[in-house]
Amino acid sequence: MEQRPAMKKVKEKTKRKTKDVEEEEREELFNLNNKSAEKAEEKKTMTCQTEDDGSDEDDDKQNQQIKVKNNKNKKGTTEGKQEKKEDEYEHDTSDEEDIRNTVGNIPMEWYKDFPHIGYDLDGKKIFKPIRNKDELDEFLDKMENPDYWRTVHDKQTGRDIVLSDEQVDLVNRLQRGQFGDVNFNEYQPTVEFFSSDVMIHPVTNRPADKRSFIPSLIEKEKVSKLVHAIKMGWIKPRRVQDDSKERYYDLWAGEDSSILAKHKMHLPAPKVPLPGHEESYNPPPEYLFTEEEKAVWEQQDPEDRKLPFLPKKFSSLRQVPAYSRFIHEKFERCLDLYLCPRQRKMRVNVNPEDLIPKLPKPKDLQPFPTTQSLVYRGHSGLVRSIGVSPSGQWLASGSDDGSVRFWEVCSARCMKTVQVGGAVKSIAWNPNPALCLLAVAVDSSVLILSPSLGDKLVVSSSERLLAGSQDDDPSEGPEPVSWSETEGEELKEGIHLKIQHPKAVHQVTWHAKGDYLASVMPDNSSHLQVFIHQLSRRRSQNPFRRNKGLVQSVAFHPVRPFFFVATQRYVRIYNLVKQEMTKKLQANSKWISNIAVHPGGDHVICGSYDCKLSWFDLDLSTKPYKVLRHHKRAVRSVAYHRGYPLFASASDDGTVIVCHGTVYNDLLQNPLIVPVKVLRGHVITHDLGVLDLTVMKRRTEVKLSRENCVYTSCYCEENVWKLCEFIQAQKIAPLEQLAVIFISNDNRMVPLWKQKSGHEERPVIWDYHVILLKVGGKSDSVIYDLDSVLPFPCSLRLYAAQALRSDRGLKPEYHRKLRVVPADSFLSNFASDRSHMKNADGTWKMPPPSYPPIQTAESKMNLDDFIRMNPAVGWGSVYTLGQFLLKYVVEDPSTSASSSTAVS
């Protein structure tokens, strides 16, 4: 503060000197006769205009220079320098206008009609310079004067000024938006004038205002009101905290990671994730949910959702409502902090429908038996066993009344009755279609019957086999089984051979070739429980030397030399060629009752008295692949169908359950097992229900209709595949007459008329469509299209005229091509995983069929090879619509009277 008076004295002296210098300069400036003075004045004016604007540092430096020079003059410098003192205001740095004209900031246009343009410091007029140049002189000056481009006219002095290079650079920098000073650094670090640090001196030296020392009346009024409120008790002071009460502390306050990291049981504090764009009140469009995403989000469980809330968009922050889950999330946060070392077991909310496996609909797995067709009546006792001939024409039944009856399957007429003299335990037809023989188990003997039914050639070949000679090979000891031929009445009844066993026989079964026969005699105390008989050589052998358990049932492998033996809890598989056991299956049942082998030989089912049915996959494991517990009482019999993927089980509860069991050629794909039908109506007698069942092929003509076909909207390729499979299974038509037609083009836009999804005469634009063609004569070919409103089936001529029409009236991008693929090639090569029917988020465009996707061992998805109309790729042949119609239709529909509608 003591330096301020000295500074004021210096400034006063400087101002006095400046006034003297200015008076001398004015005399020189306004001397019009002195030309050299005018040039000097112009130079000074240009210098004043180009100086940097009001820098305090430059002024200080100039003042310091003036002091230094004055000191030198005092010490005895040259007299010339003493007389010519340095003027500290020689270069003016102010922003004011030209100091020679004192009119101030007024428009110079006011002096337009006057000979002068202002007044100097003495109040004398400043006359305008005489300008005798016309436009021609101006033009010549512009072309000849090299400095014309840098010459400017000063309105206050009325003179032309030539700018220097420094001034031109200054103008260019200002026009580019840069700073005037070349040395100015616009990126220099900022100086924080206002900070949290306590400063000794104020930022500015401006004296305090007078109002700062006068008390404010408004503040006085506020303070008086607060004092009055405190006195009245309206405002209470802060309560003093009681240290005796319990205090809460932060578990993780001031934790040191270096120290806590050494502890194995250290649990860091859980952190809340930072908010993202989706939590904004005005999120970007990509974070907002669509209607489909909202529906999927609402169906998901809370723990499966990616976001616990739905992002919403508001026009302003004021319209955002209160967060509905605020208290809930705060509570969850407190639990995370307080109970994080523990584990909260949340109750699992399971939808009962989710526990039910998603299986195909029974309608999609047809055909299978659904209703009772015939009842065979005639026995007076319990019917314990039945069998069907290989041709499916005859049925044999054995009963406790001591008789075996032969029935015609289609009419339920009893063709023949044979008295065997005892209760029949089991019967079995010879599976060889060239023979007509029946094995019957009665007490301790097995009877071989020839019912003499059917073709004469079959009957004669059967009798020749039975008349063969017995093997003369000598045996080492007495045979436990004896062969004998019947005579008299038994021979007339058709009983040709009798095989005598040491014990009662409970089961008989044939080998697939029809020459070998196996019999079972359950006895836990002996190893003579199973015998294998050869009919052509009339010899028997016991394949086992040791007792492996109480044998319940046996079966031959349909293809390989394997022999299945079922005891109470195990199923053993023996190789008859190598004479060794190859596999042992664990049924996980208390008592096995019956077994059956799949026609393919790789799967086995076994029923048990504890109401279970076990399915074994021999290539997978020795334990059951699937265990079915559909019956309420003991399972008596199980059987496979030889033609369809079906198997059935009979139980003492009086029901027969039919199941669909598809076995795939792909070893990586598990069998499809689906219960499809429960057959009821059997009467329970003496606590016994259905004792035996068998399956047969019934050759009946099936009429193909829409109701018999498997149909799913927008899955036309799979509908046609299922239709071909159904025609092949039912043998409605040979596959050589069938062809699958894919309709598409390179643009994937093909119009079709007479479609279910169309309206009246408007076409439907498909990306592709699949139909089935049955080729006959050119007038007999028919089309099967499940998506059309035309008759089913429809003649190809009618379908071409009504649904296909012609390409002549269509734009080129709608012209259609057709790929014709043989039905057998389509069934064996087509595969689709349905990925083309899924959206980007994984949802279905249309609900898929209930049955599994169609796949082959080579591919899981080759639909595009069929749709792509490239003859070099895929199967079948590719035609244009005209070529197809000329090949399969007599008359080209393009020449018919029916007109086609152009698609725009």
Side-chain angles (χ1 to χ4, degrees):
M1 300 296 293
E2 297 177 356
Q3 295 178 359
R4 291 186 179 180
M7 292 292 294
K8 290 181 180 181
K9 293 179 180 180
V10 173
K11 287 183 179 181
E12 290 177 357
K13 294 179 179 180
T14 306
K15 288 181 180 180
R16 293 174 184 173
K17 294 179 181 180
T18 304
K19 290 181 180 180
D20 299 337
V21 175
E22 286 179 353
E23 291 178 356
E24 296 176 359
E25 289 181 353
R26 287 171 186 167
E27 294 177 359
E28 296 176 358
L29 285 172
F30 299 111
N31 189 4
L32 299 177
N33 297 327
N34 192 354
K35 296 182 180 180
S36 62
E38 291 180 357
K39 293 182 181 180
E41 180 61 23
E42 290 179 1
K43 186 175 181 180
K44 290 181 181 180
T45 304
M46 291 170 56
T47 305
C48 294
Q49 291 179 354
T50 55
E51 285 296 323
D52 192 5
D53 297 339
S55 174
D56 295 337
E57 296 178 358
D58 294 342
D59 293 342
D60 295 340
K61 291 179 180 180
Q62 290 177 4
N63 295 333
Q64 292 177 3
Q65 292 176 1
I66 292 172
K67 292 179 181 180
V68 171
K69 289 183 179 181
N70 291 335
N71 293 332
K72 288 183 178 180
N73 291 333
K74 292 179 181 180
K75 290 181 181 179
T77 56
T78 59
E79 294 180 357
K81 290 184 180 180
Q82 288 179 356
E83 295 176 357
K84 199 172 184 179
K85 296 182 179 179
E86 183 72 21
D87 188 4
E88 59 180 339
Y89 291 105
E90 182 181 359
H91 304 289
D92 190 12
T93 60
S94 66
D95 293 334
E96 297 177 355
E97 300 294 336
D98 198 325
I99 60 175
R100 292 172 297 175
N101 197 343
T102 60
V103 294
N105 289 330
I106 62 172
M108 300 305 297
E109 297 176 356
W110 292 1
Y111 294 94
K112 183 177 180 180
D113 299 331
F114 296 95
H116 62 281
I117 57 174
Y119 302 91
D120 57 7
L121 295 177
D122 297 333
K124 296 180 180 181
K125 295 180 180 180
I126 301 177
F127 291 94
K128 297 179 182 178
I130 299 175
R131 301 177 62 89
N132 295 325
K133 293 183 180 181
D134 54 4
E135 293 182 357
L136 181 60
D137 296 335
E138 288 288 341
F139 177 75
L140 293 175
D141 191 15
K142 178 180 179 180
M143 301 302 295
E144 295 176 357
N145 186 8
D147 294 334
Y148 181 82
W149 64 274
R150 64 171 67 193
T151 304
V152 295
H153 181 69
D154 188 3
K155 292 182 179 181
Q156 286 194 339
T157 60
R159 301 178 184 277
D160 293 336
I161 301 174
V162 180
L163 301 179
S164 63
D165 294 338
E166 291 80 4
Q167 292 173 337
V168 173
D169 293 339
L170 175 63
V171 172
N172 292 334
R173 285 197 302 273
L174 295 178
Q175 288 179 348
R176 290 194 300 267
Q178 298 178 355
F179 290 92
D181 188 4
V182 182
N183 300 323
F184 180 77
N185 183 14
E186 56 181 318
Y187 301 106
Q188 61 184 353
T190 59
V191 179
E192 296 292 341
F193 290 100
F194 302 96
S195 63
S196 59
D197 299 337
V198 179
M199 303 178 68
I200 300 176
H201 300 287
V203 178
T204 62
N205 290 329
R206 184 180 65 83
D209 297 329
K210 184 178 180 180
R211 60 177 177 269
S212 301
F213 303 95
I214 300 176
S216 175
L217 298 178
I218 299 175
E219 292 180 358
K220 179 180 179 181
E221 185 178 359
K222 289 182 180 179
V223 172
S224 62
K225 288 182 179 181
L226 292 175
V227 173
H228 179 67
I230 293 174
K231 291 180 178 180
M232 298 298 295
W234 298 339
I235 298 178
K236 296 182 180 180
R238 296 179 181 178
R239 295 181 180 179
V240 180
Q241 295 183 356
D242 189 4
D243 297 337
S244 61
K245 293 184 178 181
E246 183 178 1
R247 288 189 178 183
Y248 300 96
Y249 60 94
D250 188 1
L251 291 174
W252 294 277
E255 59 180 356
D256 189 359
S257 58
S258 60
I259 299 175
L260 296 176
K262 299 179 182 179
H263 299 279
K264 296 182 180 180
M265 299 302 293
H266 170 63
L267 188 66
K271 297 182 180 179
V272 179
L274 297 177
H277 294 289
E278 61 275 358
E279 298 186 49
S280 173
Y281 76 93
N282 188 13
E286 59 268 18
Y287 289 94
L288 296 176
F289 283 13
T290 61
E291 296 297 332
E292 297 179 357
E293 292 175 343
K294 287 182 181 179
V296 173
W297 184 87
E298 292 174 355
Q299 293 177 1
Q300 289 178 342
D301 295 333
E303 57 271 8
D304 296 336
R305 296 171 179 169
K306 294 183 179 179
L307 294 176
F309 60 91
L310 283 173
K312 295 182 180 180
K313 186 174 183 179
F314 299 94
S315 59
S316 62
L317 188 60
R318 183 174 297 176
Q319 296 181 359
V320 179
Y323 186 42
S324 58
R325 291 178 52 85
F326 176 77
I327 299 177
H328 178 78
E329 290 190 354
K330 288 297 182 182
F331 176 72
E332 291 289 335
R333 175 62 178 169
C334 293
L335 290 179
D336 290 342
L337 294 174
Y338 178 61
L339 300 176
C340 60
R342 310 178 187 177
Q343 180 181 6
R344 283 193 308 126
K345 294 185 178 180
M346 304 296 292
R347 182 180 179 182
V348 180
N349 297 324
V350 179
N351 188 4
E353 296 181 357
D354 296 340
L355 300 177
I356 301 175
K358 295 181 180 179
L359 300 176
K361 296 179 181 179
K363 183 180 178 181
D364 299 335
L365 303 176
Q366 290 179 347
F368 53 83
T370 57
T371 57
Q372 178 180 294
S373 177
L374 296 171
V375 178
Y376 304 87
R377 302 182 185 275
H379 286 288
S380 58
L382 292 175
V383 180
R384 293 188 177 273
S385 182
I386 57 175
V388 181
S389 64
S391 62
Q393 187 177 2
W394 313 107
L395 172 67
S397 60
S399 173
D400 285 349
D401 58 5
S403 66
V404 176
R405 291 178 178 266
F406 296 90
W407 314 81
E408 188 179 17
V409 173
C410 59
S411 62
R413 182 178 57 171
C414 182
M415 304 299 296
K416 188 175 182 179
T417 302
V418 179
Q419 297 293 333
V420 295
V424 179
K425 298 295 184 182
S426 176
I427 61 174
W429 276 94
N430 193 313
N432 191 348
L435 301 174
C436 184
L437 298 176
L438 183 71
V440 181
V442 180
D443 295 335
S444 61
S445 61
V446 176
L447 306 180
I448 307 298
L449 280 74
S450 178
S452 301
L453 300 174
D455 191 82
K456 293 182 179 180
L457 295 176
V458 176
V459 175
S460 59
S461 63
S462 302
E463 292 180 353
R464 285 197 301 269
L465 179 62
L466 294 175
S469 60
Q470 187 173 0
D471 192 4
D472 296 334
D473 293 342
S475 57
E476 299 178 356
E479 288 288 339
V481 177
S482 61
W483 291 69
S484 63
E485 296 181 356
T486 58
E487 298 177 354
E489 293 294 333
E490 292 183 347
L491 186 57
K492 291 180 181 179
E493 293 286 346
I495 303 174
H496 290 263
L497 292 176
K498 183 182 291 186
I499 307 174
Q500 191 65 36
H501 292 71
K503 297 176 184 178
V505 180
H506 284 229
Q507 184 202 4
V508 289
T509 183
W510 289 92
H511 189 267
K513 294 183 178 180
D515 192 25
Y516 291 94
L517 176 70
S519 59
V520 177
M521 300 171 295
D523 186 4
N524 203 12
S525 62
S526 174
H527 67 282
L528 301 176
Q529 298 188 72
V530 179
F531 281 94
I532 298 178
H533 313 281
Q534 187 177 4
L535 190 60
S536 59
R537 302 179 63 181
R538 296 187 184 180
R539 55 180 297 183
S540 304
Q541 63 175 346
N542 179 17
F544 307 110
R545 296 181 180 179
R546 295 181 182 180
N547 182 12
K548 298 293 185 179
L550 186 62
V551 179
Q552 299 295 318
S553 180
V554 295
F556 287 97
H557 195 281
V559 181
R560 300 177 183 177
F562 290 160
F563 190 58
F564 297 83
V565 179
T567 57
Q568 284 184 334
R569 297 191 178 185
Y570 300 97
V571 178
R572 294 177 173 86
I573 304 175
Y574 296 93
N575 191 328
L576 298 178
V577 176
K578 297 181 180 180
Q579 297 183 359
E580 62 181 10
M581 186 178 69
T582 59
K583 193 170 291 186
K584 182 179 179 181
L585 308 179
Q586 301 178 7
N588 295 334
S589 302
K590 295 181 180 179
W591 199 301
I592 297 175
S593 60
N594 195 4
I595 64 171
V597 184
H598 191 271
D602 294 333
H603 301 270
V604 176
I605 57 174
C606 65
S608 61
Y609 291 112
D610 54 356
C611 312
K612 295 180 182 179
L613 188 146
S614 302
W615 176 296
F616 290 93
D617 189 345
L618 302 182
D619 296 329
L620 183 63
S621 174
T622 57
K623 295 182 180 180
Y625 163 69
K626 184 167 289 188
V627 178
L628 306 179
R629 298 179 177 86
H630 299 144
H631 291 287
K632 298 180 181 179
R633 300 184 66 179
V635 178
R636 291 285 179 177
S637 179
V638 292
Y640 277 106
H641 197 285
R642 287 178 291 176
Y644 297 124
L646 299 173
F647 66 95
S649 58
S651 173
D652 282 342
D653 57 6
T655 62
V656 175
I657 297 181
V658 182
C659 300
H660 178 91
T662 301
V663 178
Y664 300 96
N665 294 328
D666 188 4
L667 298 178
L668 299 178
Q669 192 167 2
N670 296 326
L672 175 64
I673 301 174
V674 182
V676 292
K677 188 64 178 178
V678 179
L679 303 178
R680 306 180 188 273
H682 299 276
V683 180
I684 299 176
T685 305
H686 305 299
D687 292 336
L688 298 176
V690 184
L691 299 179
D692 193 14
L693 65 89
T694 186
V695 292
M696 55 171 288
K697 290 184 179 180
R698 186 178 181 183
R699 297 180 181 177
T700 56
E701 183 178 356
V702 181
K703 184 178 180 181
L704 189 59
S705 62
R706 292 182 187 269
E707 291 74 16
N708 295 335
C709 300
V710 179
Y711 175 75
T712 306
S713 179
C714 298
Y715 291 84
C716 54
E717 67 280 358
E718 297 194 29
N719 296 336
V720 174
W721 194 92
K722 282 290 184 180
L723 182 59
C724 294
E725 183 186 42
F726 181 73
I727 294 175
Q728 182 186 30
Q730 296 292 340
K731 297 183 179 180
I732 299 174
L735 292 181
E736 291 78 12
Q737 298 180 2
L738 301 177
V740 180
I741 301 175
F742 285 81
I743 307 173
S744 184
N745 56 22
D746 296 336
N747 299 320
R748 300 288 175 90
M749 294 186 297
V750 290
L752 290 177
W753 285 261
K754 299 295 182 181
Q755 299 291 299
K756 292 180 180 179
S757 56
H759 300 282
E760 298 177 356
E761 288 298 322
R762 297 179 182 177
V764 177
I765 306 298
W766 298 105
D767 52 350
Y768 68 93
H769 192 55
V770 187
I771 58 177
L772 181 64
L773 170 66
K774 181 182 178 183
V775 183
K778 286 194 174 182
S779 60
D780 298 333
S781 298
V782 294
I783 290 291
Y784 297 91
D785 187 359
L786 293 169
D787 293 293
S788 176
V789 296
L790 296 174
F792 185 86
C794 176
S795 66
L796 178 57
R797 182 180 300 177
L798 177 62
Y799 190 85
Q802 297 292 330
L804 295 176
R805 302 193 181 185
S806 175
D807 285 341
R808 188 171 57 185
L810 302 179
K811 292 183 178 180
E813 57 265 24
Y814 294 104
H815 288 187
R816 292 156 288 182
K817 293 184 179 180
L818 296 90
R819 179 185 290 274
V820 181
V821 183
D824 54 351
S825 177
F826 178 67
L827 281 174
S828 58
N829 296 313
F830 175 75
S832 174
D833 58 1
R834 302 169 184 165
S835 58
H836 64 290
M837 295 299 293
K838 288 186 176 181
N839 296 314
D841 56 356
T843 58
W844 292 101
K845 298 178 181 178
M846 292 296 291
S850 55
Y851 52 85
I854 301 171
Q855 298 177 357
T856 62
E858 292 79 13
S859 176
K860 292 185 178 180
M861 181 63 178
N862 57 10
L863 176 61
D864 194 60
D865 294 340
F866 290 90
I867 301 174
R868 192 185 310 168
M869 294 300 158
N870 184 2
V873 180
W875 295 266
S877 304
V878 179
Y879 303 94
T880 62
L881 181 60
Q883 294 172 349
F884 173 80
L885 296 177
L886 289 175
K887 182 174 182 179
Y888 293 99
V889 184
V890 174
E891 181 183 4
D892 189 359
S894 62
T895 61
S896 61
S898 61
S899 61
S900 60
T901 304
V903 181
S904 60

